[in-house]
Amino acid sequence: MPILQIEHLKKYYGKGQVCVKALDDVSLSVEKGEFVAIVGTSGSGKSTLLHMLGGLDRATEGKVIVDGNDIFAMNDENLTIFRRRSVGFVFQSYNLIPILNVYENIVLPIELDGASVDREYLDLLVSTLGLQEKIHQLPSSLSGGQQQRVAIARALATKPSIVLADEPTGNLDSRTSQEVLILLKQLSERFNQTIVMITHNEEIAQTADRIIRIEDGRMAGTDGTDAGVRS
Ligand SMILES: Nc1ncnc2c1ncn2[C@@H]1O[C@H](COP(=O)(O)OP(=O)(O)OP(=O)(O)O)[C@@H](O)[C@H]1O
Ligand SMILES: [Mg+2]
């Protein structure tokens, strides 16, 4: 069974003359461990799609099923718990807590959930991301690429069903972007972690296992071995 199923997803903003169809009937499925890139021009609906997948906002119509859970069927409280436990977010801006050190930032989502830290997994995650030496430092003493690696570690810390990344390399230079992408790819392989990444950059998208194109809120085709598109 796919880890992520999107069925006839629609998101409309406004009504009548000013109605914007940000997502207009998107269907897609993603297998566990896949690293998928969603590519499209500005305003094509990429961030809207990611917000729906992470339960940050509710759809106008259609379903999102994550690891068997129909997320829009949940009430707000359960949706909040779902987000905390089952989704890891990575944004263009790293959104680290400035007064917490690297380790404290990474384990924050685990502690917010009242769960206990799997030290072995965490050590492996931190070493895969090359953050061992920085573990006691504050975010302000790190480079942009290092801060984004901390944000990625934080996103994976809870072993979420899906990691959602919106332009994760948007603030990084091209060399650092490549390093971060290689790490995302390694993480998806080593931990069988499903990652859905948004980008408007074709070169960056090529790192992924599969590329999904979106235009004006609609899927415009996919590259890769298994399209996974349903109608
Ligand atoms: N809260 C909102 N209210 C009204 N319209 C919105 C809202 N959020 C997004 N839109 C519209 O929905 C469309 C898709 O926006 P979205 O942010 O998903 O695009 P995007 O592909 O992420 O673009 P970018 O590459 O610039 O980040 C745009 O036309 C946008 O103006
Ligand atoms: Mg966007």
Side-chain angles (χ1 to χ4, degrees), residues 13 20 22 41-48:
Y13 292 109
V20 176
T41 53
S42 181
S44 56
K46 304 182 297 296
S47 293
T48 303

Side-chain angles (χ1 to χ4, degrees), residues 4-15:
L4 172 64
Q5 285 168 274
I6 303 166
E7 295 175 7
H8 302 291
L9 193 64
K10 296 182 185 177
K11 179 66 178 181
Y12 296 173
Y13 292 109
K15 285 199 168 73

Side-chain angles (χ1 to χ4, degrees), residues 11-14 18 20-23 40-51 57 92 166-167 198-200 214 217:
K11 179 66 178 181
Y12 296 173
Y13 292 109
V18 292
V20 176
K21 295 181 173 180
L23 290 177
T41 53
S42 181
S44 56
K46 304 182 297 296
S47 293
T48 303
L49 177 59
L50 217 73
H51 291 164
D57 195 4
Q92 180 171 341
D166 195 346
E167 301 275 4
I198 283 180
T199 179
H200 60 264
I214 176 164

Side-chain angles (χ1 to χ4, degrees), residues 160-210:
S161 303
I162 48 173
V163 166
L164 303 175
D166 195 346
E167 301 275 4
T169 61
N171 283 341
L172 305 175
D173 60 58
S174 64
R175 206 194 58 157
T176 312
S177 296
Q178 275 308 321
E179 284 168 10
V180 166
L181 281 164
I182 289 165
L183 284 169
L184 283 172
K185 177 119 183 157
Q186 282 176 354
L187 292 167
S188 86
E189 287 167 2
R190 184 170 295 181
F191 300 113
N192 201 25
Q193 177 66 62
T194 313
I195 301 176
V196 178
M197 173 184 72
I198 283 180
T199 179
H200 60 264
N201 182 318
E202 196 60 40
E203 204 182 324
I204 281 173
Q206 295 298 335
T207 317
D209 300 327
R210 176 156 58 120

Side-chain angles (χ1 to χ4, degrees), residues 9 12 22 25 40 45 52 56 58 95 101 104 110 116 119 126 135 155 161 170 188 190 198 207 212 214 219:
L9 193 64
Y12 296 173
D25 200 358
M52 301 292 116
L56 289 171
R58 288 178 186 271
N95 297 340
N101 71 26
E104 292 162 342
I110 304 173
S116 58
R119 277 311 295 242
V126 164
I135 203 82
S161 303
S188 86
R190 184 170 295 181
I198 283 180
T207 317
I212 289 155
I214 176 164
M219 298 239 320

Side-chain angles (χ1 to χ4, degrees), residues 52-139:
M52 301 292 116
L53 303 188
L56 289 171
D57 195 4
R58 288 178 186 271
T60 305
E61 239 182 87
K63 277 187 185 177
V64 171
I65 300 165
V66 180
D67 206 7
N69 301 298
D70 181 347
I71 69 168
F72 299 129
M74 295 178 187
N75 62 25
D76 286 350
E77 192 187 347
N78 287 335
L79 195 57
T80 302
I81 295 170
F82 158 80
R83 266 201 310 270
R84 204 159 62 208
R85 291 194 183 149
S86 307
V87 189
F89 292 99
V90 180
F91 297 103
Q92 180 171 341
S93 51
Y94 323 116
N95 297 340
L96 301 174
I97 312 281
I99 56 162
L100 298 182
N101 71 26
V102 166
Y103 178 80
E104 292 162 342
N105 266 284
I106 294 173
V107 299
L108 186 64
I110 304 173
E111 290 182 340
L112 286 175
D113 196 35
S116 58
V117 176
D118 177 345
R119 277 311 295 242
E120 207 177 318
Y121 169 71
L122 209 79
D123 286 349
L124 195 56
L125 191 57
V126 164
S127 64
T128 304
L129 285 159
L131 291 168
Q132 310 93 309
E133 321 263 271
K134 306 286 176 192
I135 203 82
H136 300 299
Q137 289 185 215
L138 291 177

